[in-house]
Amino acid sequence: MTTRDNSDVRHAIIRPRVCLVSGADEIRFRSYINHAIYARTHGLDYRLECGIDRDITNKFFYKTSIIRRVLPQYEWIVWIDDDAYFTDFNRDNLNRFIEQAELDGKFMVIANGPVEPNGFWSIINTGVMLLRNDPRTWQLLHLMEKSDLREVRTWWREETHGVFTHGDQDQMLWALETSGLMAGAEIVDHRELNSRGHYYENSPSDAFVMHFCGHYDKKLGIARFAKRFRIGQELVPDDLLNEFSCRVRSPMGSAEYWLRGRRMDAVGHVKRALRPLWHRYRNWKLR
Ligand SMILES: [Mn+2]
């Protein structure tokens, strides 16, 4: 069931208590069309925020800076990365998770990081998460910000915690696990909140959100996913694009698609070969 029919009315009368939020230090993709349409069909507010701020030392912290700025204005926010797209517009998962979390007294909902084609996995993935305007969320943000990535790296055990990503995700897991806050977090199946391309088999509705993490050329990855399921590059069904008066569509033409494909074959090969060296260097640097 969608709330498509009365969303305009609800916008006019009361400010939604939940806001879907995305952003970074640049606008890379047209995911904002996808996010805005999902929000408008499910009674959520939507904000695309510019994350620049003082003292940001790591690109992952544009996210926490945006969360800090937007969270006070709502009861809940749903963070979604700019490289994550809704693929099933009929699922009302965000409202459903919030309702359940309120019944259970939880302050956050996040998905597990499923096994990637390269074998990487993680207990949580911070690409999509529901955060309540609750003292526990502020405590979590505070712990993450004052944590030292080296200390987190020392604490980290790959066999129990999965891949170390050198960013907010590691700091968040560390903060949740070492503070007792994990008891207030609900970890849901990736298919219900934040999934990956190889878990889609027959249709875009095989999972709720497709997260293009780990793609060498994300724009190409998005265009390939669109082509695979015969939908536009916004990954939004045509009837919804029409309904929301979206005129600019599928910006990547066939020439660019082909060129990016060639480049990916060439560079991807070299990059795959060099990756183990790069990881060793980064770990060495952090010691
Ligand atoms: Mn991402």
mmCIF file of all heavy atoms in Angstrom, residues 81 83 127 211 213 218, ligand 1:
data_model
loop_
_atom_site.group_PDB
_atom_site.id
_atom_site.type_symbol
_atom_site.label_atom_id
_atom_site.label_comp_id
_atom_site.label_asym_id
_atom_site.label_seq_id
_atom_site.Cartn_x
_atom_site.Cartn_y
_atom_site.Cartn_z
ATOM 1 N N ASP A 81 22.695 7.326 1.506
ATOM 2 C CA ASP A 81 23.848 7.763 0.711
ATOM 3 C C ASP A 81 23.409 8.186 -0.686
ATOM 4 O O ASP A 81 22.406 7.685 -1.205
ATOM 5 C CB ASP A 81 24.831 6.597 0.523
ATOM 6 C CG ASP A 81 25.780 6.396 1.691
ATOM 7 O OD1 ASP A 81 25.601 7.051 2.731
ATOM 8 O OD2 ASP A 81 26.705 5.570 1.540
ATOM 9 N N ASP A 83 24.732 7.232 -3.291
ATOM 10 C CA ASP A 83 24.900 6.106 -4.217
ATOM 11 C C ASP A 83 23.952 4.947 -3.872
ATOM 12 O O ASP A 83 24.202 3.807 -4.253
ATOM 13 C CB ASP A 83 26.363 5.635 -4.255
ATOM 14 C CG ASP A 83 26.858 5.132 -2.908
ATOM 15 O OD1 ASP A 83 26.216 5.420 -1.871
ATOM 16 O OD2 ASP A 83 27.901 4.449 -2.883
ATOM 17 N N GLY A 127 25.270 3.111 4.917
ATOM 18 C CA GLY A 127 24.735 3.746 3.709
ATOM 19 C C GLY A 127 23.277 4.173 3.839
ATOM 20 O O GLY A 127 22.849 5.142 3.221
ATOM 21 N N HIS A 211 22.338 -0.310 -3.155
ATOM 22 C CA HIS A 211 23.447 0.551 -2.759
ATOM 23 C C HIS A 211 24.656 0.211 -3.633
ATOM 24 O O HIS A 211 25.165 -0.899 -3.562
ATOM 25 C CB HIS A 211 23.724 0.303 -1.270
ATOM 26 C CG HIS A 211 24.748 1.192 -0.666
ATOM 27 N ND1 HIS A 211 25.185 1.057 0.619
ATOM 28 C CD2 HIS A 211 25.441 2.262 -1.175
ATOM 29 C CE1 HIS A 211 26.091 1.979 0.891
ATOM 30 N NE2 HIS A 211 26.273 2.726 -0.192
ATOM 31 N N CYS A 213 27.752 0.567 -3.517
ATOM 32 C CA CYS A 213 29.032 0.762 -2.842
ATOM 33 C C CYS A 213 30.062 -0.169 -3.472
ATOM 34 O O CYS A 213 29.727 -1.230 -3.987
ATOM 35 C CB CYS A 213 28.908 0.545 -1.337
ATOM 36 S SG CYS A 213 28.216 -1.014 -0.853
ATOM 37 N N LYS A 218 30.669 4.235 -10.430
ATOM 38 C CA LYS A 218 29.301 4.119 -9.925
ATOM 39 C C LYS A 218 28.273 4.541 -10.968
ATOM 40 O O LYS A 218 27.219 3.930 -11.100
ATOM 41 C CB LYS A 218 29.118 4.961 -8.656
ATOM 42 C CG LYS A 218 29.843 4.390 -7.442
ATOM 43 C CD LYS A 218 29.692 5.321 -6.258
ATOM 44 C CE LYS A 218 30.708 5.055 -5.178
ATOM 45 N NZ LYS A 218 30.254 4.111 -4.164
HETATM 46 MN MN MN B 1 27.539 4.615 -0.290
#
